[in-house]
Amino acid sequence: MARGFLLSTQSRPDAVNIVLSSLSRQPHKKCKLFLGFPMWHHSHHQPRYVALARCNSSSSQYPIDMSKYREAFSRRMAMAGLQPHHRIALGVSGGPDSMALCVLTLWWKTAGLKAENGGFIDGLTAIIVDHGLRAESKHEVDVVSHRISEMGIRCEIARCDWSNGRPKLGHLQEAAREMRYQMLQKVCAQHHIGVLLIAHHADDQAELFILRLSRNSGVLGLAGMPFTSQIFSTQIHSYSEVPLNYGILLVRPLLEFSKEDMYKICQGGCKDWVEDPTNQSPLFARNRIRMSLNDLSSSTFKSELKAVISACQMTRLYVDQFCYSLINEAVVIMEHGYAIIDLKILNASKIVDICLSKFMSLVLQFISQRQRPIRGSALRLLLDYIRTFPCKNSLTAAGCYLCPDPGSRGSRVLVCCSVDCPLPLKVEVFESFADRKQQCCVLNEVEKIIEHGKSYASQPVLDASNVHFMDVTSELVLTEAKRLNIISESTYRNIIELQREETDRFRSKAEDKTYSEPKHEVDTVSTLRPGHICYFMNRFIVTWRLKESIDESALSDIFTCGMELVGESWNRSCLLCVVDHSAGLELRNMIESDWLYFGKLSKYPPPNDFVQKGAIKSSEVEQTLEKKTPCFHYACVSARKALRLLKSIPVAARRSLPVLVNQHGHLLSIPTVNFSHCPRLIVEAEFKPKIPLGGGHSSFI
């Protein structure tokens, strides 16, 4: 979002003085301000103004040494595995942070490269998200876009559409953040860009530490933002009939720089910026924490706070390494969408809580495909359950159903997606695209960048004895840090005071509001037309089509009795089975009556003669069996084969399998077990979760 101080015309002189006085306390005090253009506020219908900070480095008493910033930036980009020839996007708001990112990236990118004919640097795109939450945001975004373009950076504007209405004030920043990342990923996918740079810096990391500390976050949460991470879009981007989810590599190359550095980089690069007026509002927790941290600006406090964050990051790095190794040894992911945990290999009784919690969270989040981590009572329940050996009971938690693996005598646990949980049976239908080669190139490039980054900053497996906070609760992290001399007594008291202030505000705010659980609209059935690609429950890719005619050779191994396999009569019968296929078929999860239908259908003897007309008119099995069509005979044979495969799938795992039915609810296909009621109906399903096991790559360098 393009941002700026908004000054009303009625109090413009006083407001300008306030802005000037606030800026004079900042490192960019040598910058001038100018009123850019009038705006109209959507509620008061009065013109408002955006105050832009203009750089004037020539008037600075001391020249700014840009070489140290450039060298540090180049080093961080190399640590991420990035080189100047890679295609890169920048998340830009127009503030000093993102403008500093533009300055450094432009310098890094142009070494040895020539601009295109249009004057833009090849392989560099700035993305500006217009949240559309203020009437003047559109004009502000256009101004920032023009400024970025003048730098030689191609610019894309992504405008948000709040289809469900503007978010409430209490959730405004969180909702805006989620929307911003969705739009950034969407633009990256459209332009086949696999790397996104974000301008988060060290001060942002410190604010996040205090914020999470006040929310009683664990050690892993206190580690803050990773240096690099993969983020996966909630929207699907596909090519041909093989959809690909776009895993963007998110890089934060400015994490070792301070806010003061951001202003200096802008001044050294002679670039203007705008300030966000909402950053001064005490309504938002981050703003309050930021202003409190500004009062504790001693170098000792900052360095010690950074040290405790680094210690948390080392703990997280160890836990991540431990869990990924354990997943490879003790977890098997089945193609039908469930996981098997070997309790003997896991040996949960000897694993500390922090590692076992992370391990279980990774497995359950993968199976349920939920974005949010597992916390509180659900996590404690899971730890008690997984430490019980042998396993004898079942458990529903975090969108998953856990139970003993049949035949294992409790030595293995099944983790299946629960269709009874509040998570909606989400069905997404989307068109296919013909850009397979380009998307493959992007994904391959991202994989190479990640591998190069790992080799650049290769670290041996950490020793637990050198890792702090492994057995420490979130309440005692600071106490342990003081005991280890990571922070001093004064820094400890200051952080505790910041935490207490924000915790009290959070609790009082929560007491004043009555929160209700969000209602989930469960979409149990969705229409899928031929040629469309569907994402079922964020887990299965489903598509279907009708053959123009029946292939006799494809049926010769199924039918052994002498009959006419091909002909107009059978083709007409097939059309009746599918009913009005142009209107689409419907998709739902598997239910108990489906495999009961399989059982009865598979036991029905092959008919000796065939009624060449008529179709299945009812979903009742008894009425279905009275019909003797060629498709019915085909369904009997298909059911017998599918039933053998279905018996190998645990009952708990069957419930999340996709099932295609016609408009009257008649079962037509269960593609994961290769059942089809009609030889002309071709249905394909693939277990392809949006987010991979482990959540993708991340590093805390």
Side-chain angles (χ1 to χ4, degrees):
M1 186 190 335
R3 299 166 176 174
F5 282 113
L6 304 181
L7 310 178
S8 67
T9 54
Q10 292 180 347
S11 58
R12 184 168 41 182
D14 294 337
V16 172
N17 291 333
I18 294 173
V19 172
L20 287 171
S21 62
S22 65
L23 291 176
S24 66
R25 295 192 295 269
Q26 300 295 335
H28 54 289
K29 58 186 177 182
K30 292 299 181 180
C31 292
K32 297 179 180 179
L33 293 176
F34 69 98
L35 292 177
F37 38 82
M39 296 294 178
W40 288 91
H41 191 267
H42 67 281
S43 58
H44 300 295
H45 303 289
Q46 296 174 348
R48 301 167 72 91
Y49 290 83
V50 176
L52 304 176
R54 169 166 289 174
C55 195
N56 188 7
S57 59
S58 60
S59 62
S60 300
Q61 185 176 0
Y62 302 103
I64 296 172
D65 182 12
M66 290 294 291
S67 61
K68 65 176 183 180
Y69 295 119
R70 292 169 177 169
E71 291 172 3
F73 184 83
S74 296
R75 182 176 65 255
R76 299 289 285 187
M77 294 292 277
M79 292 171 69
L82 292 172
Q83 299 177 16
H85 69 269
H86 288 135
R87 292 172 55 83
I88 292 173
L90 308 175
V92 177
S93 67
D97 308 344
S98 62
M99 292 304 296
L101 180 64
C102 289
V103 169
L104 293 177
T105 307
L106 185 64
W107 170 85
W108 175 80
K109 200 73 163 79
T110 54
L113 294 178
K114 296 182 179 180
E116 297 176 349
N117 294 333
F120 295 122
I121 302 302
D122 185 29
L124 186 60
T125 302
I127 306 173
I128 306 176
V129 178
D130 178 11
H131 292 84
L133 298 174
R134 292 184 289 114
E136 57 270 22
S137 65
K138 183 179 184 299
H139 198 167
E140 295 174 14
V141 164
D142 292 337
V143 171
V144 175
S145 175
H146 177 71
R147 182 175 302 156
I148 298 297
S149 299
E150 286 183 333
M151 296 174 65
I153 301 176
R154 183 181 288 100
C155 195
E156 292 288 335
I157 298 176
R159 303 194 189 275
C160 300
D161 179 17
W162 299 95
S163 56
N164 296 326
R166 176 191 172 103
K168 295 181 179 179
L169 184 62
H171 305 281
L172 182 62
Q173 287 192 329
E174 181 180 359
R177 178 185 179 277
E178 291 181 359
M179 177 66 78
R180 180 164 60 251
Y181 276 100
Q182 286 184 22
M183 300 304 294
L184 290 171
Q185 292 175 84
K186 181 179 180 180
V187 175
C188 284
Q190 290 173 345
H191 292 271
H192 307 291
I193 300 173
V195 180
L196 174 67
L197 304 189
I198 298 294
H200 290 135
H201 48 77
D203 289 24
D204 293 326
Q205 196 79 292
E207 294 166 14
L208 183 59
F209 178 86
I210 302 298
L211 179 64
R212 290 184 173 176
L213 195 66
S214 68
R215 302 298 191 264
N216 202 29
S217 178
V219 176
L220 304 185
L222 295 178
M225 296 174 286
F227 168 54
T228 61
S229 60
Q230 275 183 292
I231 55 175
F232 295 88
S233 177
T234 56
Q235 300 179 3
I236 303 303
H237 310 279
S238 65
Y239 59 78
S240 185
E241 295 182 357
V242 186
L244 286 177
N245 194 16
Y246 223 89
I248 303 295
L249 180 63
L250 186 69
V251 182
R252 298 179 173 92
L254 305 182
L255 279 182
E256 69 177 30
F257 297 154
S258 66
K259 183 72 172 184
E260 181 180 352
D261 292 326
M262 301 297 103
Y263 292 119
K264 289 182 178 179
I265 292 168
C266 288
Q267 293 178 39
C270 292
K271 299 302 175 185
D272 302 337
W273 67 87
V274 294
E275 296 283 354
D276 185 350
T278 61
N279 286 341
Q280 309 299 319
S281 172
L283 293 175
F284 302 110
R286 275 188 172 272
N287 297 347
R288 297 192 297 267
I289 294 171
R290 182 182 305 116
M291 289 184 281
S292 297
L293 285 173
N294 288 338
D295 297 333
L296 301 169
S297 57
S298 70
S299 58
T300 301
F301 175 82
K302 288 183 177 179
S303 63
E304 290 183 355
L305 180 56
K306 182 178 180 181
V308 72
I309 295 174
S310 297
C312 293
Q313 291 177 344
M314 291 297 291
T315 304
R316 174 155 184 163
L317 180 62
Y318 172 82
V319 172
D320 286 348
Q321 290 180 350
F322 181 89
C323 289
Y324 295 149
S325 175
L326 199 57
I327 285 174
N328 291 331
E329 296 175 3
V331 179
V332 177
I333 304 298
M334 308 302 291
E335 63 179 348
H336 293 100
Y338 63 98
I340 301 176
I341 302 176
D342 193 321
L343 296 182
K344 290 183 178 179
I345 297 177
L346 181 64
N347 201 2
S349 62
K350 296 184 179 180
I351 302 175
V352 297
D353 283 359
I354 190 172
C355 291
L356 190 58
S357 299
K358 179 70 173 181
F359 169 82
M360 291 302 297
S361 295
L362 291 175
V363 175
L364 267 66
Q365 281 184 273
F366 172 73
I367 295 299
S368 68
Q369 285 295 295
R370 285 186 168 188
Q371 299 276 352
R372 297 188 180 278
I374 305 168
R375 296 190 180 98
S377 59
L379 193 54
R380 291 191 293 271
L381 201 64
L382 280 170
L383 294 185
D384 293 338
Y385 179 83
I386 206 68
R387 284 196 169 114
T388 303
F389 184 85
C391 177
K392 297 180 180 179
N393 301 316
S394 61
L395 174 69
T396 300
C400 291
Y401 177 79
L402 292 80
C403 64
D405 185 14
S408 70
R409 297 183 178 180
S411 64
R412 295 189 301 270
V413 169
L414 296 179
V415 183
C416 313
C417 184
S418 173
V419 296
D420 298 324
C421 67
L423 184 70
L425 298 180
K426 190 175 182 182
V427 177
E428 296 179 51
V429 179
F430 49 94
E431 301 286 351
S432 61
F433 303 98
D435 55 357
R436 174 173 184 172
K437 184 176 180 180
Q438 287 179 302
Q439 290 209 12
C440 281
C441 289
V442 171
L443 294 178
N444 291 336
E445 182 179 74
V446 170
E447 290 178 0
K448 290 179 180 178
I449 291 171
I450 291 174
E451 289 303 316
H452 185 66
K454 289 179 179 178
S455 63
Y456 183 94
S458 58
Q459 296 179 350
V461 178
L462 297 175
D463 186 351
S465 61
N466 297 325
V467 177
H468 308 303
F469 313 139
M470 289 291 293
D471 296 314
V472 177
T473 60
S474 58
E475 296 86 354
L476 299 177
V477 168
L478 293 180
T479 303
E480 181 67 8
K482 185 177 66 171
R483 187 187 70 81
L484 295 170
N485 294 322
I486 297 175
I487 57 176
S488 62
E489 178 65 31
S490 61
T491 298
Y492 171 82
R493 289 197 304 269
N494 288 331
I495 296 177
I496 288 293
E497 183 60 28
L498 289 174
Q499 177 194 12
R500 185 180 297 112
E501 289 177 1
E502 190 53 42
T503 300
D504 292 342
R505 282 178 174 268
F506 178 71
R507 288 175 178 172
S508 62
K509 185 178 180 181
E511 291 172 358
D512 293 338
K513 291 188 176 182
T514 302
Y515 292 99
S516 58
E517 291 294 327
K519 295 181 179 180
H520 298 279
E521 296 182 359
V522 179
D523 183 13
T524 55
V525 179
S526 181
T527 301
L528 179 63
R529 291 177 173 80
H532 280 185
I533 301 173
C534 171
Y535 225 130
F536 179 70
M537 293 180 67
N538 294 343
R539 306 164 76 249
F540 286 99
I541 298 291
V542 182
T543 184
W544 74 274
R545 59 187 174 86
L546 277 181
K547 282 187 175 182
E548 294 184 2
S549 61
I550 299 173
D551 185 1
E552 181 176 357
S553 62
L555 300 177
S556 59
D557 61 333
I558 298 179
F559 295 98
T560 56
C561 52
M563 69 176 71
E564 183 185 359
L565 300 179
V566 185
E568 289 298 324
S569 59
W570 195 330
N571 286 333
R572 285 196 301 269
S573 176
C574 291
L575 287 176
L576 289 172
C577 283
V578 180
V579 193
D580 184 10
H581 66 278
S582 62
L585 303 184
E586 294 177 342
L587 197 60
R588 61 165 169 81
N589 63 294
M590 193 173 186
I591 55 180
E592 186 175 0
S593 61
D594 293 334
W595 59 75
L596 292 178
Y597 173 76
F598 267 16
K600 291 187 177 182
L601 193 62
S602 63
K603 293 177 182 178
Y604 199 83
N608 295 322
D609 57 340
F610 299 92
V611 179
Q612 298 294 334
K613 59 183 177 179
I616 300 175
K617 303 272 186 192
S618 171
S619 59
E620 296 295 330
V621 174
E622 290 76 10
Q623 296 182 34
T624 298
L625 297 180
E626 294 176 359
K627 302 298 180 181
K628 298 181 180 180
T629 65
C631 281
F632 171 69
H633 178 64
Y634 177 86
C636 291
V637 177
S638 180
R640 281 193 286 273
K641 290 191 172 186
L643 191 59
R644 289 194 292 269
L645 180 57
L646 192 64
K647 287 180 179 179
S648 67
I649 303 173
V651 174
R654 299 176 193 174
R655 301 182 188 277
S656 61
L657 298 180
V659 174
L660 258 73
V661 299
N662 62 20
Q663 288 79 11
H664 300 292
H666 306 153
L667 193 154
L668 296 180
S669 175
I670 303 180
T672 51
V673 294
N674 301 321
F675 171 76
S676 178
H677 213 293
C678 173
R680 289 187 60 195
L681 179 62
I682 307 300
V683 185
E684 296 176 352
E686 179 185 5
F687 178 58
K688 199 177 185 70
K690 289 186 178 182
I691 303 174
L693 181 59
H697 162 78
S698 64
S699 66
F700 288 82
I701 300 175

